[in-house]
Amino acid sequence: MPPSIHPVHLVTVLRQKSLTPAIVFLTSRRSCDEALQAFEHAPDSLPPARQESITAVLDELTASYPSLQDHPLRKTVTTCGVAAHHAGHLPSWKIAIEELMRRGCLDAVFATTTLAAGVDFPARTVVLTQSGVRRDQDFTDLTIAEVAQISGRAGRRGKDSVGFAIVTPSPYMDLGVLIRGLTGRPEPVDSQFIIAYPMILNLLKAHPLDHIQSILAKSFAQYQMNAQAAHLEHRIEKLHAKLESYKPRECSDWLTQWSAYDQATRQTAMKLHARRHHPPEVRARLPYLTPGRVVAFPRFRGIVLRRYRSRGQRHEMVTVLRTGGVVAESPVADIMGVIDRTFDFAPAPAFPWAAPEALSWLTQQLEDLPKHLPFLTVPPAPDEGEGELVKSLGDLFPCPTCPCRPTCAKEFKAGNTVKQEWLHHTRTVQSLRTGLWHKFQERAEILQDLGYLDAAFKLTADGEWARLIRIDFSLLITELIRAQAFKDVTPATLAGLMACIAYENDRPDSFPRITGALASLVATARRMTEALAPYDDPPLLRADVGGLAERWVGDTTVTWAQLCRTTSMAEGDIYRLLSRTLEYLSQVHSLQATHPDLATVAAEALSRIRRGVLEELP
Amino acid sequence: MTRDELERALANLPFRLLRRLGRSIAGPPALRMGKRRLMHTIMAGAEANIARVEATIRTHQAEQQALAAVPASGGGASSEHKPGKPADLRALLEGIGVPEPRPFVPDDWQMEAVEALERGDVIVSVPTGSGKTYVAVEATRRAMHEDRTVVYTSPLKALSNTKYTEFCKIFGPEFVGIITGDRRDNPTAPILIMTTEILRNLLYDAAGGEIDVRLDTLGLVIIDESQFLGDSERGVVWEETIIFCPSQARLLLLSASIGNPHELAAWLTSIRPTPCHLVRHQHRSVPLRAGYLHPNGKLTPLFRTVTMPPSPSQAVLHPEAKRLFTMFEEDTLYTRRSG
């Protein structure tokens, strides 16, 4: 939600109180753009002298960044002295805004909260309008570190004697979050160590497997886990002392015995409960409901195909074949009577639980049955009562003759809780100490299975080149190369696929059509992703974004403006997509030694991407 | 309290208090009630809960009186609050403007950080904008004197580009190079600006035997924005860079304020040959003040004190800011829903 104050009004107030220049942080790019649009109809404009100074700076920058020449926002910036700064803009435009801010030419910049870290220019004032930020489809509160990052932009060293953080409310704003953010201590930084496939390959290239554990032990992740483990070990010691008070009595394993007894009691009770759920007459019918049995329901007859109970369900169910060949599921309790007819057929392990020919034969048989058939008389099952429970427990009942049984019976619950906690902590400590190493081994074995590592965990020929691909989804790319998916690929198609892999946003946008070649390459990549799904997080792999890169690389006469017209994506996003594609392609390009053909194609694609706006900012 | 009095008092209560009362009397269904039904429910259940109802009303009235007692500063929406307390706004805006130009004198902590680099690795954790760049530049200058290569890494390409321009101005373009995922200028220069991923890759190659000349003479690695270590996607790259950083090179970690710099320093000390020195402070070089701007254009201090409260527990809102914000909340949250 944009702030409730009108942007023009906001800037007017800031000017009046001489709080400018200011950075106004808004939630979305759209609200930044809308705020700027509001100024197009603003009555007052800057004095001519300041307008001239802005024009001068812009002209100066245009020399190195030609794309500034006809930027649509140029007029608003010049006349009103305000600008928007967000990821939807080209880097050159952002640089221009930053430069204008540094020279103090602008009064206000509207920026998105999401990119607070990327806003690397100070101002006298920052305006906070939100307590939340959009993160992966979700709206979460700003962290203290983020608010600190934002408020850190307030007050320019040497230019301001004091900086201001101004809070202006918007609907659903939580003032508490901002107050905590402005005054609180930032959150601790926690390790986010992940063991990625390129890391494994590169580590094993340089070190033998038995050195790896000591290298992993140097990570901050392990350092933090060790601290945690040490803390738990302290707890374990305490629990151990507590367990000491439940010393062995007559026997040493009384706790084990009693917990086994406890568990058995609970299980028996549960089983009994389930079985007793059906009324006796239904329970009595259960043994008759074998596959092939003819049963009667209130409205129809059927042949039982199987009997089952779904996990977590209390009712026994049957799958029956009804007249007309319908296979239906019904609870056992619905069965009205059991008929004295059975048919032998070959059961199948999955739906429809019988071979097709058996199914049609059974249907025929069912229709041929006479209209009136007597029900079997089934005597109601005897009530299997408490007697059985007690009897079955009798064998498990611990230590019937032991002298300390009463004490054990009294203390076992408390003792068992302590012991369970102790066990739990011991296991946690173990996994904290060795978890990272086990994860590494697990992933290294996957690479072994795929053929990047040999039996001794040394790099194979494939591993040697695969370690040069050090980006996200490296496994997908190396597997595609090994599967010869890039044979005879054109630079445009290669760039298109890399764009598909690199783009991780699910924002709906329209894109130019992709060619058949790219479509089939993406389909191949999709199949590969599915095959690799157990080993690696799959990329989004949107086919449509590939069209942009393909067009840009495929036709070198396309200008930036033409490219932007083919899509609804913002300029800055297109730029970022293409520069990510560039990174991916340059990784592929690094495989010159082993895959010269592919590297040549990648080099060609690289040189074609770098033109126009993309050349401007190297 | 008679029934009429009670009804009048309830009508004056803000909606959120009414709802809280209604909830305590009628349970969760009260959350779906409008003001009139809520009042009705509370009146119906008032006999049994008279103590609670009266207590709520009394506290509210006391708060109102307290607020009215504080002279409100001008222009508020409600007319009974006379403009006043200008001292607060004046105090907030006092001293605004450009300070006297002073010759640049490095702060003590900046000198401390630069000097500590002679003895070992350094972590600098200070608020944003308090002059970390000075430390980086000074450390770079010293390393240059000793003919050592300096690598400066940052998380974003845009930041790398900015730093490149900045370093070019200071040290001259022939001494500065930049390597990012898609840019490569003067890659053999003694000062190299790169993204952290690139440095990690260089270190991978060096460990794999493809020794890069630049790493041989590597004397200083500056890792800017090292709080990115905690980034869920890219944090691992920072960690790898630090683990694989050659032992002869000094590490300078520049970070915004973080909660556990001690832990980071202890970790570095445990894995690096030299002990790690931690430089941290919470002091901003330009003091910060907080204000509250109401949508009607009225500016008040956000906190009771002009300076920032030292911790959230000591943060007391300025009464005027609190009143305006409560008013705003009631306007936007409740009337909109019921209307």
Side-chain angles (χ1 to χ4, degrees):
Chain A
M1 277 260 176
S4 297
I5 189 166
H6 191 273
V8 179
H9 189 194
L10 170 68
V11 173
T12 316
V13 172
L14 292 177
R15 275 181 188 146
Q16 268 172 10
K17 312 277 186 203
S18 51
L19 287 171
T20 52
I23 310 173
V24 184
F25 285 95
L26 301 173
T27 353
S28 60
R29 296 174 189 187
R30 215 179 85 194
S31 35
C32 290
D33 290 336
E34 280 170 359
L36 207 62
Q37 269 165 23
F39 280 90
E40 281 170 14
H41 312 289
D44 41 329
S45 52
L46 287 183
R50 283 194 58 194
Q51 290 199 22
E52 272 162 31
S53 68
I54 294 178
T55 316
V57 175
L58 282 178
D59 286 343
E60 185 190 321
L61 288 167
T62 310
S64 31
Y65 309 116
S67 60
L68 296 178
Q69 184 66 52
D70 307 309
H71 203 281
L73 292 174
R74 220 180 138 124
K75 188 171 159 282
T76 321
V77 171
T78 321
T79 51
C80 305
V82 293
H85 183 282
H86 59 70
H89 290 137
L90 281 180
S92 54
W93 180 250
K94 289 199 273 184
I95 286 177
I97 299 301
E98 286 163 24
E99 191 57 37
L100 282 171
M101 261 321 246
R102 260 181 230 118
R103 302 201 193 173
C105 297
L106 295 181
D107 280 346
V109 169
F110 296 92
T112 48
T113 318
T114 343
L115 265 184
V119 176
D120 188 26
F121 49 88
R124 176 172 289 171
T125 307
V126 294
V127 182
L128 294 141
T129 64
Q130 272 301 325
S131 61
V133 65
R134 220 183 100 112
R135 252 186 284 256
D136 310 328
Q137 316 298 317
D138 238 0
F139 225 76
T140 50
D141 283 346
L142 286 167
T143 61
I144 295 178
E146 279 164 334
V147 179
Q149 179 82 257
I150 291 173
S151 62
R153 303 280 165 231
R156 298 160 295 177
R157 214 179 149 116
K159 284 193 201 159
D160 288 318
S161 39
V162 51
F164 290 90
I166 303 285
V167 176
T168 183
S170 59
Y172 311 115
M173 185 171 95
D174 185 349
L175 197 55
V177 171
L178 292 181
I179 291 172
R180 264 196 305 281
L182 284 172
T183 56
R185 230 174 74 127
E187 294 83 2
V189 164
D190 286 321
S191 171
Q192 303 288 339
F193 203 69
I194 355 169
I195 291 177
Y197 292 108
M199 184 204 282
I200 299 176
L201 289 175
N202 281 295
L203 277 179
L204 286 174
K205 162 80 179 167
H207 311 274
L209 186 68
D210 31 333
H211 286 190
I212 303 288
Q213 200 174 0
S214 63
I215 294 174
L216 290 178
K218 284 166 79 177
S219 66
F220 189 46
Q222 192 60 58
Y223 182 83
Q224 284 191 315
M225 286 197 284
N226 283 347
Q228 219 179 326
H231 177 71
L232 278 182
E233 270 159 5
H234 188 65
R235 287 272 297 279
I236 288 176
E237 263 171 41
K238 272 192 185 162
L239 286 176
H240 201 77
K242 229 180 185 179
L243 267 180
E244 284 291 294
S245 67
Y246 302 101
K247 270 205 186 75
R249 311 256 154 91
E250 295 294 311
C251 52
S252 57
D253 63 339
W254 67 278
L255 260 178
T256 330
Q257 282 203 32
W258 276 83
S259 61
Y261 162 71
D262 186 50
Q263 228 168 12
T265 328
R266 268 186 237 174
Q267 271 174 5
T268 325
M270 241 153 67
K271 254 187 233 159
L272 217 65
H273 177 75
R275 215 178 308 154
R276 273 195 296 168
H277 188 72
H278 293 297
E281 62 276 8
V282 175
R283 211 167 350 116
R285 268 185 224 132
L286 287 179
Y288 294 90
L289 303 178
T290 49
R293 165 72 66 183
V294 182
V295 289
F297 288 88
R299 290 284 179 86
F300 57 88
R301 280 182 197 159
I303 298 176
V304 175
L305 294 176
R306 61 159 187 161
R307 203 183 93 203
Y308 65 96
R309 185 158 78 209
S310 299
R311 183 178 275 264
Q313 295 292 311
R314 293 189 302 182
H315 294 279
E316 291 271 349
M317 299 282 288
V318 280
T319 308
V320 285
L321 177 72
R322 282 161 56 175
T323 32
V326 183
V327 177
E329 323 276 333
S330 24
V332 172
D334 284 4
I335 294 174
M336 215 168 63
V338 182
I339 295 170
D340 186 15
R341 287 291 167 89
T342 52
F343 298 101
D344 281 333
F345 69 95
F351 186 83
W353 315 108
E357 55 271 20
L359 217 55
S360 57
W361 177 74
L362 283 174
T363 318
Q364 193 58 45
Q365 292 296 325
L366 193 62
E367 264 154 37
D368 290 350
L369 280 177
K371 262 223 157 94
H372 296 286
L373 278 172
F375 290 168
L376 273 181
T377 38
V378 181
D383 206 23
E384 26 180 281
E386 311 296 324
E388 201 190 348
L389 170 69
V390 175
K391 212 175 84 200
S392 64
L393 281 182
D395 313 334
L396 293 159
F397 209 67
C399 336
T401 54
C402 178
C404 49
R405 229 196 93 206
T407 345
C408 292
K410 220 191 299 164
E411 289 184 350
F412 130 81
K413 271 236 160 80
N416 204 30
T417 322
V418 176
K419 194 182 163 194
Q420 290 298 331
E421 202 180 336
W422 178 79
L423 256 176
H424 176 77
H425 285 330
T426 320
R427 280 189 203 131
T428 315
V429 166
Q430 205 172 11
S431 73
L432 282 174
R433 295 260 185 222
T434 55
L436 216 51
W437 169 233
H438 285 167
K439 186 84 195 158
F440 184 91
Q441 283 174 314
E442 194 182 292
R443 296 217 135 182
E445 272 159 25
I446 292 171
L447 287 179
Q448 211 175 24
D449 291 343
L450 291 174
Y452 294 103
L453 295 170
D454 62 13
F457 288 100
K458 291 255 176 287
L459 268 63
T460 58
D462 276 342
E464 284 289 344
W465 60 261
R467 80 186 172 86
L468 298 174
I469 307 281
R470 292 152 181 169
I471 30 180
D472 300 343
F473 315 119
S474 60
L475 203 56
L476 172 66
I477 293 171
T478 54
E479 282 295 292
L480 279 173
I481 294 174
R482 287 172 81 198
Q484 307 275 321
F486 297 126
K487 218 174 165 197
D488 308 323
V489 75
T490 60
T493 319
L494 183 65
L497 181 71
M498 291 303 158
C500 294
I501 298 176
Y503 192 66
E504 283 188 80
N505 202 327
D506 57 358
R507 202 190 298 251
D509 269 313
S510 65
F511 296 98
R513 288 181 75 89
I514 60 171
T515 60
L518 178 58
S520 74
L521 192 56
V522 171
T524 317
R526 284 239 171 84
R527 279 196 296 278
M528 190 61 85
T529 318
E530 275 161 32
L532 292 175
Y535 314 129
D536 210 359
D537 288 342
L540 200 55
L541 215 60
R542 275 176 66 166
D544 50 1
V545 284
L548 271 182
E550 199 179 24
R551 198 171 150 75
W552 183 247
V553 174
D555 184 357
T556 44
T557 57
V558 174
T559 62
W560 182 256
Q562 281 170 337
L563 186 74
C564 291
R565 270 203 294 279
T566 60
T567 168
S568 61
M569 220 162 144
E571 263 187 312
D573 288 325
I574 307 177
Y575 180 90
R576 215 161 323 108
L577 171 70
L578 289 178
S579 82
R580 288 261 294 172
T581 310
L582 240 161
E583 265 174 55
Y584 275 57
L585 283 170
S586 58
Q587 296 273 319
V588 176
H589 179 58
S590 65
L591 301 180
Q592 282 139 325
T594 47
H595 300 78
D597 294 345
L598 184 60
T600 326
V601 176
E604 174 65 25
L606 281 172
S607 69
R608 287 200 205 170
I609 283 194
R610 281 206 189 97
R611 65 195 161 85
V613 173
L614 274 114
E615 201 179 28
E616 204 173 78
L617 254 191
Chain B
M1 212 180 260
T2 68
R3 225 175 148 69
D4 281 355
E5 274 172 6
L6 184 65
E7 192 164 355
R8 229 171 299 128
L10 282 180
N12 281 333
L13 275 190
F15 187 79
R16 88 193 131 84
L17 289 182
L18 269 184
R19 199 157 73 155
R20 196 183 298 163
L21 266 182
R23 193 180 176 185
S24 67
I25 291 171
L31 295 180
R32 289 195 296 275
M33 291 179 188
K35 184 161 183 171
R36 188 177 301 213
R37 264 190 74 198
L38 264 178
M39 276 173 58
H40 195 76
T41 319
I42 297 170
M43 295 286 288
E47 271 92 59
N49 300 284
I50 194 71
R52 191 182 303 155
V53 174
E54 283 192 344
T56 312
I57 292 173
R58 267 199 305 274
T59 2
H60 177 67
Q61 281 168 348
E63 263 176 29
Q64 287 295 309
Q65 277 161 6
L67 276 185
V70 176
S73 46
S78 50
S79 53
E80 71 260 37
H81 291 286
K82 288 274 175 304
K85 191 106 182 163
D88 265 340
L89 184 59
R90 217 182 295 146
L92 180 76
L93 298 179
E94 199 183 327
I96 201 167
V98 184
E100 295 272 310
R102 270 179 307 179
F104 177 79
V105 180
D107 292 346
D108 287 345
W109 67 268
Q110 288 172 324
M111 291 320 292
E112 181 191 340
V114 173
E115 268 150 29
L117 259 184
E118 312 269 315
R119 301 185 298 273
D121 304 331
V122 173
I123 295 181
V124 176
S125 169
V126 294
T128 316
S130 51
K132 288 189 288 274
T133 309
Y134 173 82
V135 181
V137 169
E138 208 48 39
T140 306
R141 206 188 299 279
R142 294 200 180 186
M144 289 272 287
H145 277 302
E146 295 165 20
D147 271 342
R148 295 189 152 271
T149 309
V150 179
V151 170
Y152 182 102
T153 77
S154 77
L156 300 171
K157 255 183 278 180
L159 292 183
S160 296
N161 285 329
T162 320
K163 274 284 156 345
Y164 175 61
T165 328
E166 205 175 322
F167 273 53
C168 278
K169 266 184 210 150
I170 299 171
F171 296 102
E174 67 273 25
F175 292 111
V176 189
I178 182 168
I179 314 175
T180 62
D182 52 9
R183 176 177 189 182
R184 201 166 247 277
D185 276 1
N186 199 6
T188 48
I191 304 172
L192 284 172
I193 317 284
M194 46 179 91
T195 47
T196 315
E197 273 83 358
I198 300 286
L199 176 59
R200 195 266 318 256
N201 290 351
L202 281 183
L203 294 171
Y204 269 168
D205 289 338
E210 296 141 46
I211 299 275
D212 198 301
V213 275
R214 284 163 295 188
L215 292 183
D216 266 350
T217 53
L218 188 62
L220 176 66
V221 175
I222 305 171
I223 301 183
D224 201 358
E225 309 286 344
S226 31
Q227 74 274 13
F228 257 76
L229 192 84
D231 187 86
S232 59
E233 278 166 29
R234 298 171 62 200
V236 59
V237 179
W238 270 251
E239 220 166 301
E240 284 177 272
T241 310
I242 293 171
I243 299 172
F244 301 137
C245 187
S247 50
Q248 93 276 3
R250 287 284 147 79
L251 266 177
L252 172 58
L253 266 60
L254 304 176
S255 138
S257 292
I258 53 170
N260 55 346
H262 284 117
E263 200 179 1
L264 270 180
W267 168 56
L268 273 191
T269 307
S270 75
I271 63 164
R272 305 269 310 163
T274 49
C276 175
H277 188 84
L278 172 67
V279 179
R280 73 179 295 201
H281 70 86
Q282 299 287 341
H283 174 75
R284 290 173 49 104
S285 52
V286 180
L288 183 70
R289 292 179 196 163
Y292 172 82
L293 180 64
H294 200 63
N296 66 8
K298 186 166 177 299
L299 184 69
T300 65
L302 181 63
F303 297 112
R304 195 175 273 277
T305 50
V306 165
T307 50
M308 298 296 271
S311 76
S313 58
Q314 290 171 44
V316 184
L317 278 189
H318 191 269
E320 183 64 6
K322 189 172 177 179
R323 185 184 71 84
L324 287 172
F325 187 71
T326 320
M327 206 163 75
F328 172 81
E329 271 198 322
E330 272 170 24
D331 284 356
T332 51
L333 285 182
Y334 304 124
T335 56
R336 193 175 288 178
R337 209 175 287 161
S338 55

